[in-house]
Amino acid sequence: SELHDVKPFFFSLYTPLAQQLPREPVEWRRSYGRAPKTIHLEANFIQFKEEFLPKEGNKALLTFPFLHIYWTDCCDTGVYKAHVRDDIMRWHGTLRLHGSADWVIIVAETSNAKKKSKTNILPRSTLVDRIRNDFCNKQNDRCVVLLDPLKDSSRSRESWGALLLKLRTLLLKSFTQNLGRFEDDMRKLREKRNLPGWSFCEYFMVQEELAFVFEMLQQFEDALVQYDELDALFTQYVLNYGAGDGANWLGPFCSPVNSWTGLLLRRPIDMESRAAIRRGEASLLELRSYLFCRQCTLLIFLGRPWEVTQRALELMHSCVQELCLLEVPVVEGALDCWVFMSCLEVLHRIEGCCDLAQLEANRSHTVGLWAYATDKLKSLGYLCGLVSENGPQSEELNRTVDLLAGLGDEKPETGDLQSPYKKLKQALSSVEAFERHYLVSLAMKPGRKGDPGRAEVFLQDALRSYLSEGWSLLVTHTRKQMAECQKRMGRTEDYLQTSVLLASDANLTIEERKHFCQEILIFANRSTDIKVQKVAISMNAFAQLMQVQFRPSTAVVHSGAALQVELHLRSLMPVAVHLEQLAVSVHFSLKQGGTDGKARETQSRPGTVLFPLGNSSVIPPSWAVAGPSLVEVQDHSPSDPRILSSAGVVCNNTHLVMRHNDSGPSTDMPSRVSPVHVAVDNGVQMLKTRDVTLLPGNNSIAFSAPVRHNPGTYKLCQLCATVGHIQLVLPHISPLVQYDVYSQDPLLSVEPLTDTLLAGLPQRAKVRLETGHYTVKKGDALQLSNIDTMPILTAPSSCFSAAILDSTEGWSRDCLLSIHSSEKVTRISLPPTPSHHVLEFQLEMLCVIPLGCDPPEDLGLNEGARHRLRRSSHPNEPMAIITQRMSVDCPWSIYTTPIFLTFHIPFKARHQLLSAGKRKYIQVCLQNVSGVNFRLTDLRLTETQQGPSLKLQSLNAKTQQLVCSQQSVYCVWDVGWKEDKPACLQCVFSANFAPASEKDPTLYTMRAEILPAAGEQHCRSGVLCGLEMSITRLVVPDDDEGKADEEGQTEDEERMVLCIFRLLVTDSSGSWAVCGRSSGLVSMPADANANHRVQVELMPLFSGHLPFPNVNVFQYLPNSASSGQPLTNSCVENNALPLPVLLDDQVDAASVPRLGSVRRTATGEQRSGGLHMPRLEPFRPGQVFNHSQGRQVLVLPSVDQHVLEMNAT
């Protein structure tokens, strides 16, 4: 923080401010959803100078002034106006000029300032308010009052605490904002890494600045992440360079190595190497050494010193490979010196931060470094001639001098006798010194012969490396050695686990695998007399769980039903293994169980849970290293494509082959390196099966799950196979495998058999009883309360059929149940029905329509029901509804079950009083708003007053009416009165209705076409045209109707039954003149799709679009049909009268010409006048469909060829 207007008084406050500011922690909330952290803020106060303000492009974050503070103890009005305000304005303007918005003004109040000026002194609140008005209009928290900071009083301490809290808040806010901007700038700089001119060293310094800030805040994990990112970025560019995609900034790192000083871990920060990196002059070894030095420091701060040894080995191996990839010239033996000194430096640093007990317990972490240092020292001895019998020669001595010269001068930190610098210098000085140091290195190397305990520790470390890198053969060899060590030490459990891994290892021969399997069986089949505790080991290498299958497939059953669980296991053993018991532990939960009985959809496929293949005993799939994908690359000469300039091999998946381990601790391999200690879950509920033999390969084992306990969810948690004294345990079954057991209460429902229940007509409904967990016993009955408005239509004592269904097994059977009705109750005796079955039967009931035009409100009308019905019926004419409530007493419950049925009134009626002179008429409109056709009979209008005063005469000609769906029927009565005209009329309209039978299908279709005269394209007025009519039969007469009196008919007459009807062509518009015949009789066979054509001559009288003439079709009734006989299809279609046929007297003789050609087909003689004469009647609506109804034809005017005489004068 920068301070302005600092007086000697304020210098005394800096020390307590700097000391007390970091004492209290603050919560630091960062952007991008990162978790908040608790930090301690440390600040350094410096004098305000304009040159300290940040300038554009400055990437320094540690020296950035985060908060600017202005101190003043002014209390006088004149002094404030004359000096202080102008000074604050200059200071504030300078900050705004440099874009700094983080500032605060502290007004200190002291007793001495009050004593100096009492006349012009302002109240403290007034002075602070004026400062806030002048500079802090919208930021009142930017002005803080400090009361008597040098006094020890409650007010001073409270004011001091408020100041510290305000400084922490403002400082943390400014720090967070500037840190966010710094990270954004750093991210933008990293995104430019593929552009020309980008420098890794420049970016290195920027990101390291961020790491320094995190380290200052003691956020060592975040600081380590920054260095790991720099390490990964540099490694990736080196790999790309080796693949042929080099960056220009890698040039300085390809320069020859002139110095091979080892790692220097005794300095927290190697400033010399950092300066070389900043200048871009650092070599590859200097950059790697500095980067590892910083990582090592942070890892030690985090308390992970043993990770330093692992990273050190990776660093040394990777540095050797990177020097080869970059083709850096290196003096022979220089890398051996660098590796030897670096190993000793790392070991020295680890020994300095750990005590002897920790070092002894973690010797396995340092064995690799000691072995690597010993190998490199041995290599230097051969290179410098220190191991030969004759001693070093002159060439070897010169090489030794060159190697020692590359070590440089000794650093001050390595002045002790145990420094790696002095050890290497002494070892290369003479043969005797080399032999002494080499023997010391061998003595320090752990793992002496004859110690299986130490050997196992080292073998575990090697196994961990082999597993991570995917060396399967080395893993197998190392496990065999570990098994030998464990057997010698008598560690039975670990030895059995390793033997299981080796028995399932495909890299071994069948004999070796059988040997280790036999070792397991020998221990398992020990005599029961020997008290041996059972050993629990992991099942992963013994067998693999492939899938679990349920029957039924939904894995949801009711309590008491049978549930089969089938396990598919794949045995990895080379021989058959007999299991005494195979058990699955089951855990009960009430979370998803219940009484609804609905199936869950948690499995990937119905009834089957598949498990991923894996758990290989050699190398786990998640650790297996992907093989390199190599592609050949050839570069031809630009001048001559036939000349090959260069050739190479490129790896396309280097990110998988050469993966970099992150800074976190590895949690992948403990289960594969050291044996896993598993615990057997001896739960209360187990699925068990005994005497199971697992054959090599796939096996299927079935369990019967007990489901006669509490409803709920049962999860399969653990699988345990018992072989003698050995328990092979699969501790967790994943993914989730579970089944549900539910207990369902009985459910009674009444469902209509049709979409809509109509009031006023007998309706049938299906009663459905789902028994659930209840068993219907003999004598159980349902008692239905009788309702006057909805009686049940059954005999007082009757029986009818019912059906019992089993949905699980898919069968049903019929049975009988009886019904007994009394005045108030209808009792239905139920047949015995098992639990979890369905009993179905039907009831017939009638809902009585109430009197009145509109149903009253107490009959169950509600607008919600109307709204629902409006969607199912005609959109403009909704049906009124009646909701009937019926109470049912059930044997399984003490409560009454209400059943609600909704009936729809199919009609709506309205009336109207009409007048014609002095006469009055009542018109009643009855509208069918349902979807059913009805036939109305006995339509009546009666008076409701006491004593007849009206004369109602029906003007309705028909006694019965057919009203179709969404159509209306109008009825009219002539109203007269005996005495004076009444003031009001009170009448009741009534009618009987029943569903109309479907006996009026479409029998014939007729098409008419107007043909112009020959040679003309269109008809012309005054010119004859042809009207061609085509009649097609659609319906074949029924067999029953066709069985008329067939006696006396010949075989030819049986084969061809003629249908005779009459056509009449008329024109009501006066646009056509019918020429020739206008009517005639037509006969055709009674076959489906039989067709007959008739043509009539016409003449259009006008031009334009003229409507077609009317074509009327009448049915011909034989003379044997009386006038009172009802009209049936048989009368129309199965007519066997002899021809000729006489016309009806009702037809106008003038309009019916001679029959012409139609009459010529007739045979026989006319009937005598004493019989009933033949007659014509029109078809009922819908029986004949006219396709030409409403059509028009274009008629052109006639051509006028008259001569017009004209005289011109």
Side-chain angles (χ1 to χ4, degrees), residues 907 926-929 932-936 961-969 993 996:
F907 295 101
L926 188 64
Q927 184 181 6
N928 181 6
V929 293
V932 182
N933 299 335
F934 291 100
R935 191 170 297 279
L936 303 178
Q961 293 282 345
L962 175 65
V963 54
C964 298
S965 174
Q966 307 301 328
Q967 292 186 359
S968 302
V969 171
F993 62 93

Side-chain angles (χ1 to χ4, degrees), residues 865-924:
R866 286 180 181 270
H867 183 69
R868 292 193 299 270
L869 291 169
R870 188 174 291 118
R871 295 195 298 266
S872 60
S873 62
H874 196 274
N876 298 324
E877 299 294 340
M879 288 187 287
I881 64 172
I882 302 174
T883 301
Q884 298 286 0
R885 183 181 185 274
M886 179 173 54
S887 300
V888 182
D889 293 332
C890 305
W892 57 82
S893 176
I894 62 175
Y895 301 102
T896 300
T897 302
I899 300 296
F900 295 92
L901 293 176
T902 301
F903 291 85
H904 300 74
I905 300 178
F907 295 101
K908 290 181 66 176
R910 64 179 184 270
H911 72 279
Q912 188 176 6
L913 183 63
L914 306 176
S915 300
K918 295 182 178 180
R919 303 184 66 177
K920 300 293 183 181
Y921 301 91
I922 296 179
Q923 183 190 57
V924 177

Side-chain angles (χ1 to χ4, degrees), residues 896-1139:
T896 300
T897 302
I899 300 296
F900 295 92
L901 293 176
T902 301
F903 291 85
H904 300 74
I905 300 178
F907 295 101
K908 290 181 66 176
R910 64 179 184 270
H911 72 279
Q912 188 176 6
L913 183 63
L914 306 176
S915 300
K918 295 182 178 180
R919 303 184 66 177
K920 300 293 183 181
Y921 301 91
I922 296 179
Q923 183 190 57
V924 177
C925 176
L926 188 64
Q927 184 181 6
N928 181 6
V929 293
S930 68
V932 182
N933 299 335
F934 291 100
R935 191 170 297 279
L936 303 178
T937 59
D938 195 12
L939 286 81
R940 297 181 180 181
L941 185 66
T942 59
E943 185 181 4
T944 60
Q945 297 177 355
Q946 297 290 337
S949 61
L950 297 178
K951 296 180 180 180
L952 299 175
Q953 182 180 357
S954 176
L955 302 181
N956 306 310
K958 297 183 179 180
T959 59
Q960 60 179 1
Q961 293 282 345
L962 175 65
V963 54
C964 298
S965 174
Q966 307 301 328
Q967 292 186 359
S968 302
V969 171
Y970 292 87
C971 306
V972 180
W973 282 266
D974 187 358
V975 183
W977 43 89
K978 299 179 180 179
E979 301 177 355
D980 296 337
K981 184 187 299 183
C984 64
L985 304 180
Q986 297 182 1
C987 302
V988 174
F989 172 75
S990 62
N992 296 330
F993 62 93
S997 59
E998 297 291 338
K999 291 188 178 180
D1000 292 335
T1002 302
L1003 302 178
Y1004 303 96
T1005 62
M1006 185 184 66
R1007 298 178 182 271
E1009 292 291 339
I1010 295 180
L1011 306 176
E1016 296 289 340
Q1017 186 177 2
H1018 297 283
C1019 298
R1020 292 185 179 272
S1021 61
V1023 180
L1024 288 177
C1025 302
L1027 175 63
E1028 185 179 68
M1029 297 165 286
S1030 175
I1031 298 96
T1032 304
R1033 181 184 181 90
L1034 299 180
V1035 179
V1036 179
D1038 297 336
D1039 294 338
D1040 296 336
E1041 296 177 354
K1043 291 180 181 178
D1045 187 12
E1046 298 180 356
E1047 297 180 1
Q1049 291 185 1
T1050 62
E1051 295 181 359
D1052 295 336
E1053 290 175 340
E1054 291 180 358
R1055 286 194 297 266
M1056 184 175 180
V1057 179
L1058 297 180
C1059 304
I1060 306 173
F1061 52 89
R1062 184 186 180 204
L1063 294 176
L1064 178 61
V1065 180
T1066 60
D1067 179 35
S1068 60
S1069 63
S1071 301
W1072 301 89
V1074 181
C1075 304
R1077 70 180 188 275
S1078 63
S1079 63
L1081 295 179
V1082 175
S1083 61
M1084 66 175 65
D1087 297 332
N1089 299 324
N1091 182 266
H1092 191 87
R1093 296 179 181 272
V1094 179
Q1095 188 170 356
V1096 178
E1097 293 183 347
L1098 299 175
M1099 178 183 292
L1101 303 179
F1102 305 101
S1103 62
H1105 289 277
L1106 303 183
F1108 272 47
N1110 299 327
V1111 180
N1112 301 319
V1113 183
F1114 300 91
Q1115 47 188 339
Y1116 176 85
L1117 295 183
N1119 52 8
S1120 61
S1122 63
S1123 60
Q1125 182 180 354
L1127 187 61
T1128 61
N1129 289 340
S1130 61
C1131 296
V1132 178
E1133 301 183 11
N1134 296 339
N1135 188 0
L1137 290 178
L1139 297 178

Side-chain angles (χ1 to χ4, degrees), residues 333-354:
L335 288 179
D336 296 338
C337 296
W338 182 80
V339 170
F340 176 78
M341 296 179 63
S342 299
C343 289
L344 295 185
E345 181 69 14
V346 172
L347 291 170
H348 186 273
R349 186 72 177 90
I350 296 299
E351 291 173 358
C353 63
C354 299

Side-chain angles (χ1 to χ4, degrees), residues 479-533:
R479 278 185 178 150
K480 290 175 64 177
Q481 294 177 325
M482 288 179 59
E484 186 66 24
C485 295
Q486 293 164 354
K487 187 175 183 180
R488 289 186 180 183
M489 291 185 296
R491 296 170 54 183
T492 306
E493 183 176 350
D494 296 344
Y495 175 67
L496 291 175
Q497 184 69 67
T498 307
S499 298
V500 171
L501 291 171
L502 291 172
S504 60
D505 197 332
N507 291 324
L508 296 178
T509 62
I510 295 296
E511 289 73 15
E512 291 177 315
R513 293 177 59 188
K514 289 182 178 179
H515 166 73
F516 287 105
C517 185
Q518 195 65 29
E519 291 285 318
I520 302 169
L521 297 178
I522 289 174
F523 178 84
N525 297 326
R526 288 184 180 180
S527 176
T528 55
D529 298 337
I530 305 175
K531 294 183 179 180
V532 179
Q533 293 183 352

